[in-house]
Amino acid sequence: MTAICNYVSIARYGWGALLLFCVALLTLDTAHSQSEVGECYYLQRDRLLEPLENELKPAKGVNAMHFFVESPEPSAELPSTRLDDLEIQLRAADALYSEVLGLTPPLHMPRYQRAGFIMVILRADQTRGGQAYDEVVRSAASPGCHIRMALGGQVDAAQNLTPAHELFHLYQNAHMMFKQGWVHEGLARWSESLLRGNLQKGPPLPASVEALERLLQESYGAAPFWQRLFYLLDAQAIKSIPDALRDKRYHDGSQVVAATELYGSTFLPLLFASLDEAGAALSQQEQWPEYGWAEAEQRSLRHNEVILSAVHHAVSTYMPIANQPDELRVFMQLIEPMAER
């Protein structure tokens, strides 16, 4: 786009026409995708956001968080206990993802190098639900560059793991461009089990093309697949949850992190790295900006073979075939043809 503007003949069109032409192209470019590493977009039409004045702690650290309220009513107030529980869950989940699982925090990844903090938007007029956004932005409400997640203002963290789920999406967005349901939502739903504590060994891995196809059509329902894969790679659950996390409590006395151990904790960073590398290679192959994929491409099922190839690479690197249990070896043989393409 910049090159086009540079080569437009000023003598032919005049400065005014040239300016309008370049502004129009820039607007289109910004509206469609984040095309440069660390780019920070200005939101012209941001929501009515008010920073919470009663944040318990200043936003510091590797994943600094600022809390804002979005409400049609000025100066909307939310119960302090609910806000405290929400922050407790987010801080605990962040510690699980970064310190226990060993994932690099989003703000330390190249895609988000311009972002200074995570904005947590509490929508006062929504009772539940959440959403994670994937671009670096700023606005009149918050001039500093940041990434965002939104939660229903009535979410009760002591009873609902949506905050941790959406935070995990920010980790995913920082590490990969893929948003296929079985990967994006399946892994995020699996992450909830780290707090909920109901870790299961999961059902057997797909052993046929038909079973694999069913998996690739899943979304949240793919969580048991990931749990089973992690179990087969780490049946001894060698890493335990630190006592400092297990001792955290909500205001009602319930435990924030109920799990005592987890499977696949040392494998997950390798999986994320493999998916990151696969996405970068696909960007180069398709001549897309590395972080500027169209949303339809991020979700397209036609990239499932690339994803499965990345899974195959990560598993093979982590556990040589001679050490793989029979069930895992059968699954790897099933997806091996995709890894060879």
Side-chain angles (χ1 to χ4, degrees):
M1 186 272 294
T2 303
I4 295 176
C5 292
N6 289 339
Y7 287 105
V8 172
S9 171
I10 297 175
R12 180 177 179 184
Y13 292 104
W15 282 106
L18 174 61
L19 180 60
L20 290 174
F21 178 69
C22 292
V23 167
L25 283 177
L26 180 59
T27 301
L28 286 173
D29 201 34
T30 301
H32 280 88
S33 66
Q34 177 174 333
S35 58
E36 300 295 335
V37 176
E39 190 168 352
C40 178
Y41 291 116
Y42 185 81
L43 298 177
Q44 295 285 352
R45 298 181 179 180
D46 203 6
R47 302 173 177 86
L48 297 175
L49 300 174
E50 290 189 5
L52 283 178
E53 297 180 357
N54 61 335
E55 288 189 65
L56 293 179
K57 305 170 186 175
K60 296 180 180 179
V62 294
N63 261 355
M65 298 180 196
H66 284 302
F67 294 82
F68 284 68
V69 173
E70 174 194 324
S71 173
E73 299 294 333
S75 303
E77 294 186 3
L78 297 173
S80 60
T81 300
R82 184 179 299 152
L83 294 175
D84 294 351
D85 283 350
L86 172 62
E87 184 176 21
I88 289 170
Q89 183 181 121
L90 285 173
R91 301 294 181 194
D94 187 48
L96 276 172
Y97 304 155
S98 60
E99 298 171 17
V100 179
L101 296 181
L103 298 173
T104 303
L107 299 181
H108 283 193
M109 290 296 290
R111 185 179 188 185
Y112 295 142
Q113 63 184 9
R114 289 281 303 278
F117 65 95
I118 295 172
M119 175 186 283
V120 182
I121 302 172
L122 305 178
R123 293 175 171 163
D125 58 346
Q126 293 185 11
T127 58
R128 57 190 303 177
Q131 187 172 6
Y133 299 90
D134 59 5
E135 292 187 344
V136 181
V137 297
R138 60 189 178 90
S139 70
S142 185
C145 295
H146 58 275
I147 53 178
R148 297 184 170 192
M149 59 181 287
L151 300 167
Q154 304 303 313
V155 168
D156 181 357
Q159 304 294 328
N160 190 310
L161 292 175
T162 297
H165 180 107
E166 299 304 329
L167 180 61
F168 192 81
H169 279 323
L170 294 185
Y171 271 80
Q172 290 175 300
N173 294 342
H175 287 80
M176 68 190 78
M177 295 300 295
F178 299 112
K179 290 183 182 177
Q180 286 67 20
W182 67 282
V183 177
H184 198 61
E185 296 297 351
L187 277 170
R189 177 59 58 84
W190 164 82
S191 73
E192 296 178 26
S193 66
L194 304 183
L195 289 90
R196 188 178 292 112
N198 58 342
L199 294 178
Q200 305 291 330
K201 296 179 181 180
L205 296 178
S208 66
V209 173
E210 294 75 17
L212 180 61
E213 286 297 328
R214 287 194 296 271
L215 168 67
L216 301 185
Q217 296 296 324
E218 285 284 1
S219 181
Y220 300 96
F225 159 77
W226 295 109
Q227 181 60 59
R228 183 64 177 180
L229 178 63
F230 299 156
Y231 170 74
L232 292 175
L233 289 170
D234 182 22
Q236 301 303 314
I238 57 176
K239 181 173 285 190
S240 298
I241 306 296
D243 290 340
L245 282 176
R246 299 194 65 247
D247 289 341
K248 290 184 179 297
R249 295 289 187 276
Y250 293 115
H251 278 75
D252 66 2
S254 60
Q255 204 169 17
V256 178
V257 179
T260 57
E261 55 190 15
L262 60 146
Y263 303 112
S265 57
T266 55
F267 170 71
L268 198 66
L270 180 60
L271 174 64
F272 271 42
S274 186
L275 289 167
D276 188 10
E277 293 172 5
L282 186 59
S283 295
Q284 186 174 18
Q285 174 186 314
E286 300 290 342
Q287 297 185 335
W288 296 334
E290 187 170 3
Y291 303 114
W293 296 21
E295 188 70 20
E297 290 296 346
Q298 294 179 54
R299 300 180 183 279
S300 175
L301 297 183
R302 74 187 183 96
H303 302 316
N304 276 335
E305 288 191 359
V306 174
I307 296 171
L308 287 170
S309 178
V311 172
H312 187 282
H313 172 74
V315 172
S316 299
T317 303
Y318 186 80
M319 179 178 286
I321 189 170
N323 298 336
Q324 294 173 9
D326 291 343
E327 180 186 330
L328 178 58
R329 191 177 300 117
V330 169
F331 173 72
M332 291 289 282
Q333 291 173 348
L334 181 64
I335 66 173
E336 187 174 10
M338 301 170 189
E340 296 174 347
R341 294 176 186 174

